[in-house]
Amino acid sequence: MKVHLKFLIALFALLFLAACSSTPSQPTQAPVAPPVDVHEDDDIDENVDEIILAAEGFIKGGCGACHVIPGIKNAVGNIGPDLSEIGLVASEQIASPDYQGKAETVKEYLEESLLEPNVHLSSACPGGPCASGLMPPYSEDTLGEDQLEAMINFMAQLPGLQVSSDLPTVEPEIKEEDFLDEEDMEWAKQVYFERCAGCHGTLRNGATGPGLTPDLMQPKGTLALAAIIFNGTPRGMPDWGNQGFMTKEETEIMAEYLQLEPPQPPEMSLDQMLATWKLLVPPEDRPTEPQTDRNWENYMLVTLRDAGQIAVIDADTYEVVSHVDTGYAVHITRTSATGRYAYTIGRDGKLALVDLWTEIPTKVAEAQLCYDARSVEVSKYKGEQGDFTDQLAIVGCYWPPHFVVLDGQTLEPFKIVSTRSYTYDTEEYHPEPRVAAIVASHLKPEWIVNIKETGQVWMVNYTDPVNPTIKMIEAERFLHDGGWDSTKRYFMVAANNMNRVAVIDSLDGNLEALVDTAGIPHPGRGANWIDPEFGPVWSASHLGEAVISSIGTDPENNPDNAWRVVRTTQLPGSGSLFIKTHPNSKWIWVDMTLNPDPELSRTICVIAKDNPGEVYKCWEAATYGRAVHFEYNLQGTEIWVSIWGNADIPGEVGEIVVYDDETLEEITRIPNLVTPTGKFNVYNTIWDIY
Ligand code: DHE
C-alpha cells in the first residue's frame, strides 16, 4: 500500500504537535479516558507506522462500513456506534453497572469488542441499542496480532488523537478473474437476482436499499460487506446468514461479487412472452357458475413463498382447499373485479391465473412477462365508459423495466410499455425505472402505476388498451407500496427511501400532497381508520423507525389535519413491514418482521383506535421464526398473521395464526405452510378493504 511523502510529513507534524501539547483536547465532562500507554515513549516513526498499520486494519476489516472512525477514509458507516470518542466511551462503559464483559482497562475493552463483540453490546447504535450478532468477531487470523494491537492503540486515544486526513486507502484492483471462478460468478448472479435486486436494483443503483456499485463497495471491502450480508442491519437489510439462506463463505462470495461491475441483464420481447404463454383451460371450457358450495369470496389466497405456490384456504373452515403452482417466490395476488379470478405474480415475472369457481381452484393460464416483477392488477371499472370487470390485467416489472397489458381471461400479453425515462426532479435519464405498486381505480378506467426510480406516477387509461393514454405525474423518487384512503379517491404511496408519502388525487389526476414521515415508510396498503382527535387517517408502518405514522386524509371536513402526519405512535422496535385494520375493528395491527432481534421479529402489536397514542399490547405470535403480514376475513371478525419458519425443522416449518379480532384471543393455527407470507382475502381484495 502506497503512503505519500506529503502525508508522512503532515502526520509527523501532527504527532509532533500532539506530543508537545501537555493537554490533548478532551471534553470537559468526566469520566476521562485512563492514560494511554502508547506513543508517549515510542519513537515518532514507529507511531507513524503504527497509525498506518491501524488504518490499514480498519480498511481491511471494513470497519468503516458500519462505523465513523476519524481519519479513516470512507469510515462513515451508520450501522454501528460512532467511534470518534471510543477511548472515552470505553472507560465509561467499564465503569458502568451495566457492563457485562471482563475488561478492566480501555485497551482490554477494545480488544474484547474486536474479538468478542457480543460480550457487551453498546446502546449507541444509530437505530437504538446494538443487536447481538451484528458485528463480526475479528481474530488474529483475519487481522494479525500487530495490526489488532495498532487498531486498539488508535481507538484508545479517541478523542484526542490528531489524525491526518491523508491516511492510506485501499486502491481497488478487483478483477473478476482474480477471485471469482465461473461457478461462484453464476451462483452470485442468481442469488443477487433472487435476494438483493429487489431493494438495490438490477443495475445496483439503489432504491429501497442503498446503491451497491463497485465504487461504493470496494472501499468497504470483503470482510465488512460479508458481515453486513450475514447479519443484516437494523434499517431493514435482512440477515441472510442468520436466516440460513447463505453460509459465511457464500456471503464472502457475494461481497466479492458486489465489488465487480454488474452484468447487463437481457431484454424481453412480446414474442418471448408469447412463447411462455399457456392457456390451460380456455374461457369457453370454464364453468359459468361456482362449482363449489364453499363461500369462495371468503377464500384466503396465501403466498407460500419458498414453495413457489399459493394455498387457497377457506377462511370459514380453515381448510386448505388447494395448492396451486405459481412463479418462483410469489410476491402478491390480486383478484379480478368480480373476485372469480386470482392473479398471482412471482418474482420471476411469471403470472398465474387461478379460477376460484372450479370445485378445487385451479390454474387456467400462465405467462412470463419479465425476469423480475412485483406487481399485478386488474381492470375494475364499470360505468359510463364501459364494463371492464374481469377484462384486463397489468403486470409491473422490475427487469426489464416495463409494464405489460394482458387479456384478463386468457393472460395473452398484447402491449408492452417501457418505463425507461427521466428522473422527475433532475430530468436525468435512468436506465432502470422499475414498476412498483399498481392499483386500479374504482372511479375511472385507469391504473395508477408507480415508477420507482424516476419518481413518477403514471395514470394509465385502459379504455383503448392497445393505444393507452398516460398522464405522468411528478411525485417523489423511490415510490414503493401503498393503498387507497377510505374514500378510494386518494392513493397514498410510500417513497420509502425519501421518508415521504405521496398523495395522488385519482379523480383530478394530480399530486395532492407530499407528506414527510419517519424513516422508510413501508405500509403495504396501509390502514384506514378514524382517529378520535384528528378524524379519518391512513397509517403506515416503517422499516427504518420504531413508529407508525398516521396521516390525515379528509381535506373536506378536517382540512387542518389533511396530508400531514397528525400522530406518531411508538412501537417497541423498527423493521415493520405491514400494518392492517378493518372498518369493523377497534384495533390496528402491526408487525416488526425485519427487526434484528429474533423476539421482536416475531412480536406483533395492536393499537386501540380509541387510545391511539400508545401501543395497547404486544406479544410473540410464535416461539420460532418471524411474524409477517395481516389479513382479515370477509366479515372483519378474525385476523390472520403468517409465521415464517424453516422448511428443514419439523414443527417449525411455518404456519398461520388466526385471532379473534374482538378479544385478541387465538382461535386456531394452520400448520405446516412453507414461508406463508401475503394473504389476500377475496372479498377484501376486490373492494380494497384495509
Ligand atoms: Fe414486497 C408488496 C416490492 C420485499 C412481501 N412489494 C409489494 C409491492 C412492491 C413490492 C412494489 C406493491 C405491489 C402492489 O401493490 O402492486 N418487496 C418489494 C421489493 O422490492 C422488496 C423490498 C425487495 C424484493 O427483493 O422483493 C420486497 N416483499 C418483500 C419481502 O421480503 C416480503 C416480505 C416477502 C417476499 O416476498 O419475499 C414481501 N410485498 C410483500 C407482500 C406485499 C408486497 C406480502 C403485498 C402487501 C399487501 O398487503 O398488499
PDB file of all heavy atoms in Angstrom, residues 198-199 305 330-332 334 347 374-375 398 436-438 480-481 524-525 577-578 580 628-629 644 677-678 680, ligand 1:
ATOM      1  N   GLY A 198     -34.196  -6.731  -5.675  1.00  0.00           N
ATOM      2  CA  GLY A 198     -35.447  -6.053  -5.345  1.00  0.00           C
ATOM      3  C   GLY A 198     -35.206  -4.722  -4.653  1.00  0.00           C
ATOM      4  O   GLY A 198     -35.819  -3.709  -4.991  1.00  0.00           O
ATOM      5  N   CYS A 199     -34.314  -4.712  -3.686  1.00  0.00           N
ATOM      6  CA  CYS A 199     -34.083  -3.472  -2.938  1.00  0.00           C
ATOM      7  C   CYS A 199     -33.001  -2.614  -3.573  1.00  0.00           C
ATOM      8  O   CYS A 199     -33.040  -1.389  -3.485  1.00  0.00           O
ATOM      9  CB  CYS A 199     -33.651  -3.791  -1.507  1.00  0.00           C
ATOM     10  SG  CYS A 199     -34.981  -4.472  -0.536  1.00  0.00           S
ATOM     11  N   ARG A 305     -44.168 -18.622  -0.087  1.00  0.00           N
ATOM     12  CA  ARG A 305     -43.101 -18.016  -0.878  1.00  0.00           C
ATOM     13  C   ARG A 305     -42.073 -19.021  -1.382  1.00  0.00           C
ATOM     14  O   ARG A 305     -41.820 -19.117  -2.568  1.00  0.00           O
ATOM     15  CB  ARG A 305     -42.403 -16.929  -0.052  1.00  0.00           C
ATOM     16  CG  ARG A 305     -41.546 -16.041  -0.894  1.00  0.00           C
ATOM     17  CD  ARG A 305     -40.684 -15.154  -0.058  1.00  0.00           C
ATOM     18  NE  ARG A 305     -39.795 -15.949   0.796  1.00  0.00           N
ATOM     19  CZ  ARG A 305     -39.014 -15.444   1.736  1.00  0.00           C
ATOM     20  NH1 ARG A 305     -39.038 -14.154   1.964  1.00  0.00           N
ATOM     21  NH2 ARG A 305     -38.225 -16.211   2.462  1.00  0.00           N
ATOM     22  N   VAL A 330     -43.539 -16.249  -5.036  1.00  0.00           N
ATOM     23  CA  VAL A 330     -44.733 -15.434  -5.302  1.00  0.00           C
ATOM     24  C   VAL A 330     -44.666 -14.141  -4.511  1.00  0.00           C
ATOM     25  O   VAL A 330     -44.340 -14.157  -3.325  1.00  0.00           O
ATOM     26  CB  VAL A 330     -45.985 -16.203  -4.828  1.00  0.00           C
ATOM     27  CG1 VAL A 330     -47.202 -15.307  -4.858  1.00  0.00           C
ATOM     28  CG2 VAL A 330     -46.175 -17.434  -5.675  1.00  0.00           C
ATOM     29  N   HIS A 331     -44.987 -13.021  -5.165  1.00  0.00           N
ATOM     30  CA  HIS A 331     -44.951 -11.773  -4.419  1.00  0.00           C
ATOM     31  C   HIS A 331     -46.337 -11.344  -3.957  1.00  0.00           C
ATOM     32  O   HIS A 331     -46.571 -11.205  -2.769  1.00  0.00           O
ATOM     33  CB  HIS A 331     -44.245 -10.671  -5.196  1.00  0.00           C
ATOM     34  CG  HIS A 331     -43.508  -9.765  -4.284  1.00  0.00           C
ATOM     35  ND1 HIS A 331     -42.274 -10.059  -3.780  1.00  0.00           N
ATOM     36  CD2 HIS A 331     -43.863  -8.608  -3.706  1.00  0.00           C
ATOM     37  CE1 HIS A 331     -41.902  -9.116  -2.946  1.00  0.00           C
ATOM     38  NE2 HIS A 331     -42.848  -8.216  -2.882  1.00  0.00           N
ATOM     39  N   ILE A 332     -47.230 -11.126  -4.910  1.00  0.00           N
ATOM     40  CA  ILE A 332     -48.583 -10.763  -4.472  1.00  0.00           C
ATOM     41  C   ILE A 332     -49.634 -11.470  -5.321  1.00  0.00           C
ATOM     42  O   ILE A 332     -49.347 -11.966  -6.414  1.00  0.00           O
ATOM     43  CB  ILE A 332     -48.857  -9.240  -4.530  1.00  0.00           C
ATOM     44  CG1 ILE A 332     -48.835  -8.716  -5.964  1.00  0.00           C
ATOM     45  CG2 ILE A 332     -47.895  -8.478  -3.672  1.00  0.00           C
ATOM     46  CD1 ILE A 332     -49.431  -7.306  -6.099  1.00  0.00           C
ATOM     47  N   ARG A 334     -53.690 -10.590  -6.637  1.00  0.00           N
ATOM     48  CA  ARG A 334     -54.838  -9.689  -6.661  1.00  0.00           C
ATOM     49  C   ARG A 334     -55.996 -10.443  -7.300  1.00  0.00           C
ATOM     50  O   ARG A 334     -55.780 -11.383  -8.074  1.00  0.00           O
ATOM     51  CB  ARG A 334     -54.537  -8.418  -7.469  1.00  0.00           C
ATOM     52  CG  ARG A 334     -53.378  -7.578  -6.895  1.00  0.00           C
ATOM     53  CD  ARG A 334     -53.755  -6.865  -5.609  1.00  0.00           C
ATOM     54  NE  ARG A 334     -52.716  -5.963  -5.130  1.00  0.00           N
ATOM     55  CZ  ARG A 334     -52.145  -6.030  -3.928  1.00  0.00           C
ATOM     56  NH1 ARG A 334     -52.475  -6.976  -3.073  1.00  0.00           N
ATOM     57  NH2 ARG A 334     -51.242  -5.146  -3.562  1.00  0.00           N
ATOM     58  N   ARG A 347     -41.679 -13.453  -8.372  1.00  0.00           N
ATOM     59  CA  ARG A 347     -40.533 -12.573  -8.612  1.00  0.00           C
ATOM     60  C   ARG A 347     -39.912 -12.801  -9.976  1.00  0.00           C
ATOM     61  O   ARG A 347     -39.230 -11.939 -10.508  1.00  0.00           O
ATOM     62  CB  ARG A 347     -39.438 -12.857  -7.577  1.00  0.00           C
ATOM     63  CG  ARG A 347     -39.635 -12.109  -6.327  1.00  0.00           C
ATOM     64  CD  ARG A 347     -38.594 -12.527  -5.326  1.00  0.00           C
ATOM     65  NE  ARG A 347     -39.014 -11.996  -4.064  1.00  0.00           N
ATOM     66  CZ  ARG A 347     -38.267 -11.234  -3.297  1.00  0.00           C
ATOM     67  NH1 ARG A 347     -37.043 -10.945  -3.647  1.00  0.00           N
ATOM     68  NH2 ARG A 347     -38.725 -10.786  -2.170  1.00  0.00           N
ATOM     69  N   ARG A 374     -42.929  -7.488  -9.408  1.00  0.00           N
ATOM     70  CA  ARG A 374     -43.518  -7.434  -8.070  1.00  0.00           C
ATOM     71  C   ARG A 374     -45.014  -7.148  -8.083  1.00  0.00           C
ATOM     72  O   ARG A 374     -45.669  -7.351  -7.084  1.00  0.00           O
ATOM     73  CB  ARG A 374     -42.860  -6.335  -7.216  1.00  0.00           C
ATOM     74  CG  ARG A 374     -41.392  -6.496  -6.917  1.00  0.00           C
ATOM     75  CD  ARG A 374     -41.102  -7.689  -6.012  1.00  0.00           C
ATOM     76  NE  ARG A 374     -39.671  -7.808  -5.765  1.00  0.00           N
ATOM     77  CZ  ARG A 374     -38.806  -8.355  -6.614  1.00  0.00           C
ATOM     78  NH1 ARG A 374     -39.224  -8.863  -7.749  1.00  0.00           N
ATOM     79  NH2 ARG A 374     -37.528  -8.402  -6.314  1.00  0.00           N
ATOM     80  N   SER A 375     -45.551  -6.608  -9.194  1.00  0.00           N
ATOM     81  CA  SER A 375     -46.941  -6.157  -9.081  1.00  0.00           C
ATOM     82  C   SER A 375     -47.828  -6.658 -10.212  1.00  0.00           C
ATOM     83  O   SER A 375     -47.364  -6.892 -11.336  1.00  0.00           O
ATOM     84  CB  SER A 375     -47.004  -4.631  -9.001  1.00  0.00           C
ATOM     85  OG  SER A 375     -46.220  -4.056 -10.004  1.00  0.00           O
ATOM     86  N   TYR A 398     -39.774  -5.227 -12.688  1.00  0.00           N
ATOM     87  CA  TYR A 398     -38.540  -4.595 -12.229  1.00  0.00           C
ATOM     88  C   TYR A 398     -37.494  -4.680 -13.349  1.00  0.00           C
ATOM     89  O   TYR A 398     -36.794  -3.740 -13.625  1.00  0.00           O
ATOM     90  CB  TYR A 398     -38.019  -5.311 -10.978  1.00  0.00           C
ATOM     91  CG  TYR A 398     -38.543  -4.755  -9.655  1.00  0.00           C
ATOM     92  CD1 TYR A 398     -39.646  -3.914  -9.596  1.00  0.00           C
ATOM     93  CD2 TYR A 398     -37.910  -5.088  -8.465  1.00  0.00           C
ATOM     94  CE1 TYR A 398     -40.095  -3.411  -8.384  1.00  0.00           C
ATOM     95  CE2 TYR A 398     -38.346  -4.597  -7.249  1.00  0.00           C
ATOM     96  CZ  TYR A 398     -39.438  -3.760  -7.209  1.00  0.00           C
ATOM     97  OH  TYR A 398     -39.864  -3.275  -6.002  1.00  0.00           O
ATOM     98  N   ALA A 436     -43.296  -0.247  -9.409  1.00  0.00           N
ATOM     99  CA  ALA A 436     -43.624  -0.674  -8.040  1.00  0.00           C
ATOM    100  C   ALA A 436     -45.132  -0.934  -7.979  1.00  0.00           C
ATOM    101  O   ALA A 436     -45.677  -1.577  -8.877  1.00  0.00           O
ATOM    102  CB  ALA A 436     -43.148   0.375  -7.061  1.00  0.00           C
ATOM    103  N   ALA A 437     -45.813  -0.424  -6.965  1.00  0.00           N
ATOM    104  CA  ALA A 437     -47.240  -0.760  -6.798  1.00  0.00           C
ATOM    105  C   ALA A 437     -48.079  -0.294  -7.994  1.00  0.00           C
ATOM    106  O   ALA A 437     -47.800   0.740  -8.597  1.00  0.00           O
ATOM    107  CB  ALA A 437     -47.763  -0.109  -5.530  1.00  0.00           C
ATOM    108  N   ILE A 438     -49.104  -1.078  -8.294  1.00  0.00           N
ATOM    109  CA  ILE A 438     -50.115  -0.672  -9.274  1.00  0.00           C
ATOM    110  C   ILE A 438     -51.471  -0.830  -8.586  1.00  0.00           C
ATOM    111  O   ILE A 438     -51.726  -1.867  -7.962  1.00  0.00           O
ATOM    112  CB  ILE A 438     -50.107  -1.580 -10.523  1.00  0.00           C
ATOM    113  CG1 ILE A 438     -48.710  -1.613 -11.162  1.00  0.00           C
ATOM    114  CG2 ILE A 438     -51.141  -1.102 -11.540  1.00  0.00           C
ATOM    115  CD1 ILE A 438     -48.626  -2.499 -12.403  1.00  0.00           C
ATOM    116  N   HIS A 480     -42.870   3.039  -3.734  1.00  0.00           N
ATOM    117  CA  HIS A 480     -42.784   1.601  -3.454  1.00  0.00           C
ATOM    118  C   HIS A 480     -44.167   0.970  -3.330  1.00  0.00           C
ATOM    119  O   HIS A 480     -44.701   0.448  -4.277  1.00  0.00           O
ATOM    120  CB  HIS A 480     -41.938   1.384  -2.204  1.00  0.00           C
ATOM    121  CG  HIS A 480     -41.616  -0.047  -1.956  1.00  0.00           C
ATOM    122  ND1 HIS A 480     -40.668  -0.721  -2.678  1.00  0.00           N
ATOM    123  CD2 HIS A 480     -42.134  -0.943  -1.095  1.00  0.00           C
ATOM    124  CE1 HIS A 480     -40.617  -1.985  -2.274  1.00  0.00           C
ATOM    125  NE2 HIS A 480     -41.499  -2.140  -1.310  1.00  0.00           N
ATOM    126  N   ASP A 481     -44.762   1.023  -2.139  1.00  0.00           N
ATOM    127  CA  ASP A 481     -46.059   0.376  -1.946  1.00  0.00           C
ATOM    128  C   ASP A 481     -47.048   1.377  -1.347  1.00  0.00           C
ATOM    129  O   ASP A 481     -46.655   2.394  -0.785  1.00  0.00           O
ATOM    130  CB  ASP A 481     -45.944  -0.867  -1.057  1.00  0.00           C
ATOM    131  CG  ASP A 481     -45.255  -0.591   0.270  1.00  0.00           C
ATOM    132  OD1 ASP A 481     -44.749   0.536   0.478  1.00  0.00           O
ATOM    133  OD2 ASP A 481     -45.215  -1.496   1.112  1.00  0.00           O
ATOM    134  N   GLY A 524     -47.322  -1.495   3.136  1.00  0.00           N
ATOM    135  CA  GLY A 524     -48.168  -2.470   2.448  1.00  0.00           C
ATOM    136  C   GLY A 524     -49.241  -1.658   1.744  1.00  0.00           C
ATOM    137  O   GLY A 524     -48.923  -0.768   0.954  1.00  0.00           O
ATOM    138  N   ARG A 525     -50.506  -1.891   2.083  1.00  0.00           N
ATOM    139  CA  ARG A 525     -51.539  -0.998   1.540  1.00  0.00           C
ATOM    140  C   ARG A 525     -52.029  -0.007   2.598  1.00  0.00           C
ATOM    141  O   ARG A 525     -52.928   0.784   2.351  1.00  0.00           O
ATOM    142  CB  ARG A 525     -52.694  -1.842   0.982  1.00  0.00           C
ATOM    143  CG  ARG A 525     -52.345  -2.448  -0.377  1.00  0.00           C
ATOM    144  CD  ARG A 525     -53.341  -3.482  -0.820  1.00  0.00           C
ATOM    145  NE  ARG A 525     -53.252  -4.680  -0.013  1.00  0.00           N
ATOM    146  CZ  ARG A 525     -54.169  -5.635   0.013  1.00  0.00           C
ATOM    147  NH1 ARG A 525     -55.259  -5.519  -0.715  1.00  0.00           N
ATOM    148  NH2 ARG A 525     -53.994  -6.708   0.777  1.00  0.00           N
ATOM    149  N   LEU A 577     -42.965  -4.300   8.474  1.00  0.00           N
ATOM    150  CA  LEU A 577     -43.288  -4.404   7.045  1.00  0.00           C
ATOM    151  C   LEU A 577     -44.751  -4.089   6.766  1.00  0.00           C
ATOM    152  O   LEU A 577     -45.079  -3.522   5.744  1.00  0.00           O
ATOM    153  CB  LEU A 577     -42.987  -5.817   6.539  1.00  0.00           C
ATOM    154  CG  LEU A 577     -41.526  -6.173   6.298  1.00  0.00           C
ATOM    155  CD1 LEU A 577     -41.398  -7.627   5.847  1.00  0.00           C
ATOM    156  CD2 LEU A 577     -40.923  -5.267   5.239  1.00  0.00           C
ATOM    157  N   PHE A 578     -45.641  -4.488   7.686  1.00  0.00           N
ATOM    158  CA  PHE A 578     -47.057  -4.368   7.342  1.00  0.00           C
ATOM    159  C   PHE A 578     -47.909  -3.933   8.527  1.00  0.00           C
ATOM    160  O   PHE A 578     -47.587  -4.188   9.687  1.00  0.00           O
ATOM    161  CB  PHE A 578     -47.582  -5.699   6.789  1.00  0.00           C
ATOM    162  CG  PHE A 578     -46.884  -6.123   5.523  1.00  0.00           C
ATOM    163  CD1 PHE A 578     -46.007  -7.199   5.507  1.00  0.00           C
ATOM    164  CD2 PHE A 578     -47.078  -5.407   4.356  1.00  0.00           C
ATOM    165  CE1 PHE A 578     -45.344  -7.566   4.345  1.00  0.00           C
ATOM    166  CE2 PHE A 578     -46.424  -5.764   3.181  1.00  0.00           C
ATOM    167  CZ  PHE A 578     -45.563  -6.845   3.177  1.00  0.00           C
ATOM    168  N   LYS A 580     -52.348  -3.286   9.418  1.00  0.00           N
ATOM    169  CA  LYS A 580     -53.678  -3.623   8.874  1.00  0.00           C
ATOM    170  C   LYS A 580     -54.754  -3.273   9.872  1.00  0.00           C
ATOM    171  O   LYS A 580     -54.562  -3.346  11.084  1.00  0.00           O
ATOM    172  CB  LYS A 580     -53.722  -5.127   8.576  1.00  0.00           C
ATOM    173  CG  LYS A 580     -54.967  -5.641   7.898  1.00  0.00           C
ATOM    174  CD  LYS A 580     -55.048  -5.268   6.441  1.00  0.00           C
ATOM    175  CE  LYS A 580     -54.186  -6.149   5.589  1.00  0.00           C
ATOM    176  NZ  LYS A 580     -54.110  -5.771   4.198  1.00  0.00           N
ATOM    177  N   VAL A 628     -45.296 -12.047  10.032  1.00  0.00           N
ATOM    178  CA  VAL A 628     -45.347 -11.128   8.898  1.00  0.00           C
ATOM    179  C   VAL A 628     -46.746 -11.042   8.293  1.00  0.00           C
ATOM    180  O   VAL A 628     -47.407 -12.063   8.142  1.00  0.00           O
ATOM    181  CB  VAL A 628     -44.312 -11.538   7.817  1.00  0.00           C
ATOM    182  CG1 VAL A 628     -44.573 -12.926   7.254  1.00  0.00           C
ATOM    183  CG2 VAL A 628     -44.238 -10.532   6.682  1.00  0.00           C
ATOM    184  N   HIS A 629     -47.198  -9.842   8.012  1.00  0.00           N
ATOM    185  CA  HIS A 629     -48.383  -9.532   7.211  1.00  0.00           C
ATOM    186  C   HIS A 629     -49.697 -10.007   7.866  1.00  0.00           C
ATOM    187  O   HIS A 629     -49.770 -11.090   8.428  1.00  0.00           O
ATOM    188  CB  HIS A 629     -48.269 -10.174   5.813  1.00  0.00           C
ATOM    189  CG  HIS A 629     -49.246  -9.616   4.827  1.00  0.00           C
ATOM    190  ND1 HIS A 629     -50.393 -10.285   4.490  1.00  0.00           N
ATOM    191  CD2 HIS A 629     -49.252  -8.479   4.100  1.00  0.00           C
ATOM    192  CE1 HIS A 629     -51.060  -9.566   3.581  1.00  0.00           C
ATOM    193  NE2 HIS A 629     -50.388  -8.462   3.327  1.00  0.00           N
ATOM    194  N   TRP A 644     -43.164 -17.097   9.469  1.00  0.00           N
ATOM    195  CA  TRP A 644     -42.115 -17.683   8.634  1.00  0.00           C
ATOM    196  C   TRP A 644     -41.283 -18.608   9.495  1.00  0.00           C
ATOM    197  O   TRP A 644     -40.768 -18.192  10.532  1.00  0.00           O
ATOM    198  CB  TRP A 644     -41.162 -16.595   8.151  1.00  0.00           C
ATOM    199  CG  TRP A 644     -41.583 -15.857   6.941  1.00  0.00           C
ATOM    200  CD1 TRP A 644     -42.538 -16.217   6.043  1.00  0.00           C
ATOM    201  CD2 TRP A 644     -41.027 -14.622   6.478  1.00  0.00           C
ATOM    202  NE1 TRP A 644     -42.608 -15.276   5.054  1.00  0.00           N
ATOM    203  CE2 TRP A 644     -41.695 -14.287   5.289  1.00  0.00           C
ATOM    204  CE3 TRP A 644     -40.033 -13.771   6.949  1.00  0.00           C
ATOM    205  CZ2 TRP A 644     -41.395 -13.148   4.575  1.00  0.00           C
ATOM    206  CZ3 TRP A 644     -39.749 -12.635   6.233  1.00  0.00           C
ATOM    207  CH2 TRP A 644     -40.416 -12.323   5.052  1.00  0.00           C
ATOM    208  N   THR A 677     -46.702 -15.982   3.469  1.00  0.00           N
ATOM    209  CA  THR A 677     -46.351 -14.549   3.512  1.00  0.00           C
ATOM    210  C   THR A 677     -47.625 -13.729   3.344  1.00  0.00           C
ATOM    211  O   THR A 677     -48.454 -13.697   4.245  1.00  0.00           O
ATOM    212  CB  THR A 677     -45.276 -14.244   2.453  1.00  0.00           C
ATOM    213  OG1 THR A 677     -44.219 -15.209   2.585  1.00  0.00           O
ATOM    214  CG2 THR A 677     -44.658 -12.881   2.644  1.00  0.00           C
ATOM    215  N   GLY A 678     -47.813 -13.105   2.165  1.00  0.00           N
ATOM    216  CA  GLY A 678     -49.019 -12.291   1.960  1.00  0.00           C
ATOM    217  C   GLY A 678     -50.264 -13.160   1.939  1.00  0.00           C
ATOM    218  O   GLY A 678     -50.246 -14.292   1.460  1.00  0.00           O
ATOM    219  N   PHE A 680     -54.435 -12.781   0.971  1.00  0.00           N
ATOM    220  CA  PHE A 680     -55.346 -11.863   0.298  1.00  0.00           C
ATOM    221  C   PHE A 680     -56.743 -12.460   0.332  1.00  0.00           C
ATOM    222  O   PHE A 680     -57.009 -13.462  -0.337  1.00  0.00           O
ATOM    223  CB  PHE A 680     -54.853 -11.605  -1.132  1.00  0.00           C
ATOM    224  CG  PHE A 680     -53.407 -11.142  -1.150  1.00  0.00           C
ATOM    225  CD1 PHE A 680     -52.369 -12.049  -1.306  1.00  0.00           C
ATOM    226  CD2 PHE A 680     -53.095  -9.806  -0.927  1.00  0.00           C
ATOM    227  CE1 PHE A 680     -51.046 -11.642  -1.266  1.00  0.00           C
ATOM    228  CE2 PHE A 680     -51.773  -9.385  -0.883  1.00  0.00           C
ATOM    229  CZ  PHE A 680     -50.748 -10.307  -1.054  1.00  0.00           C
TER     230      PHE A 680
HETATM  231 FE1  DHE B   1     -42.791  -6.807  -1.352  1.00  0.00          FE
HETATM  232  C1  DHE B   1     -45.987  -5.686  -1.904  1.00  0.00           C
HETATM  233  C2  DHE B   1     -41.674  -4.784  -3.765  1.00  0.00           C
HETATM  234  C3  DHE B   1     -39.611  -7.404  -0.311  1.00  0.00           C
HETATM  235  C4  DHE B   1     -43.911  -9.248   0.644  1.00  0.00           C
HETATM  236  N1  DHE B   1     -43.674  -5.482  -2.589  1.00  0.00           N
HETATM  237  C5  DHE B   1     -45.006  -5.151  -2.659  1.00  0.00           C
HETATM  238  C6  DHE B   1     -45.197  -4.145  -3.657  1.00  0.00           C
HETATM  239  C7  DHE B   1     -43.966  -3.900  -4.196  1.00  0.00           C
HETATM  240  C8  DHE B   1     -43.021  -4.730  -3.520  1.00  0.00           C
HETATM  241  C9  DHE B   1     -43.641  -2.930  -5.287  1.00  0.00           C
HETATM  242  C10 DHE B   1     -46.520  -3.493  -4.033  1.00  0.00           C
HETATM  243  C11 DHE B   1     -47.215  -4.314  -5.058  1.00  0.00           C
HETATM  244  C12 DHE B   1     -48.546  -3.732  -5.434  1.00  0.00           C
HETATM  245  O1  DHE B   1     -49.320  -3.352  -4.536  1.00  0.00           O
HETATM  246  O2  DHE B   1     -48.845  -3.664  -6.635  1.00  0.00           O
HETATM  247  N2  DHE B   1     -40.956  -6.185  -1.898  1.00  0.00           N
HETATM  248  C13 DHE B   1     -40.726  -5.367  -2.936  1.00  0.00           C
HETATM  249  C14 DHE B   1     -39.325  -5.150  -3.078  1.00  0.00           C
HETATM  250  O3  DHE B   1     -38.754  -4.510  -3.987  1.00  0.00           O
HETATM  251  C15 DHE B   1     -38.672  -5.717  -1.894  1.00  0.00           C
HETATM  252  C16 DHE B   1     -38.303  -4.572  -0.968  1.00  0.00           C
HETATM  253  C17 DHE B   1     -37.392  -6.462  -2.142  1.00  0.00           C
HETATM  254  C18 DHE B   1     -37.510  -7.644  -3.038  1.00  0.00           C
HETATM  255  O4  DHE B   1     -36.475  -8.193  -3.395  1.00  0.00           O
HETATM  256  O5  DHE B   1     -38.594  -8.044  -3.411  1.00  0.00           O
HETATM  257  C19 DHE B   1     -39.798  -6.526  -1.309  1.00  0.00           C
HETATM  258  N3  DHE B   1     -41.910  -8.104  -0.042  1.00  0.00           N
HETATM  259  C20 DHE B   1     -40.605  -8.187   0.223  1.00  0.00           C
HETATM  260  C21 DHE B   1     -40.320  -9.235   1.155  1.00  0.00           C
HETATM  261  O6  DHE B   1     -39.183  -9.568   1.604  1.00  0.00           O
HETATM  262  C22 DHE B   1     -41.603  -9.834   1.528  1.00  0.00           C
HETATM  263  C23 DHE B   1     -41.884  -9.572   2.996  1.00  0.00           C
HETATM  264  C24 DHE B   1     -41.634 -11.330   1.308  1.00  0.00           C
HETATM  265  C25 DHE B   1     -41.148 -11.759  -0.011  1.00  0.00           C
HETATM  266  O7  DHE B   1     -41.962 -11.717  -0.939  1.00  0.00           O
HETATM  267  O8  DHE B   1     -40.014 -12.120  -0.154  1.00  0.00           O
HETATM  268  C26 DHE B   1     -42.560  -9.043   0.651  1.00  0.00           C
HETATM  269  N4  DHE B   1     -44.615  -7.355  -0.738  1.00  0.00           N
HETATM  270  C27 DHE B   1     -44.861  -8.430   0.067  1.00  0.00           C
HETATM  271  C28 DHE B   1     -46.283  -8.537   0.254  1.00  0.00           C
HETATM  272  C29 DHE B   1     -46.886  -7.499  -0.459  1.00  0.00           C
HETATM  273  C30 DHE B   1     -45.812  -6.783  -1.089  1.00  0.00           C
HETATM  274  C31 DHE B   1     -46.958  -9.589   1.119  1.00  0.00           C
HETATM  275  C32 DHE B   1     -48.382  -7.190  -0.566  1.00  0.00           C
HETATM  276  C33 DHE B   1     -48.845  -6.481   0.663  1.00  0.00           C
HETATM  277  C34 DHE B   1     -50.302  -6.176   0.591  1.00  0.00           C
HETATM  278  O9  DHE B   1     -50.979  -6.370   1.632  1.00  0.00           O
HETATM  279  O10 DHE B   1     -50.782  -5.726  -0.454  1.00  0.00           O
END
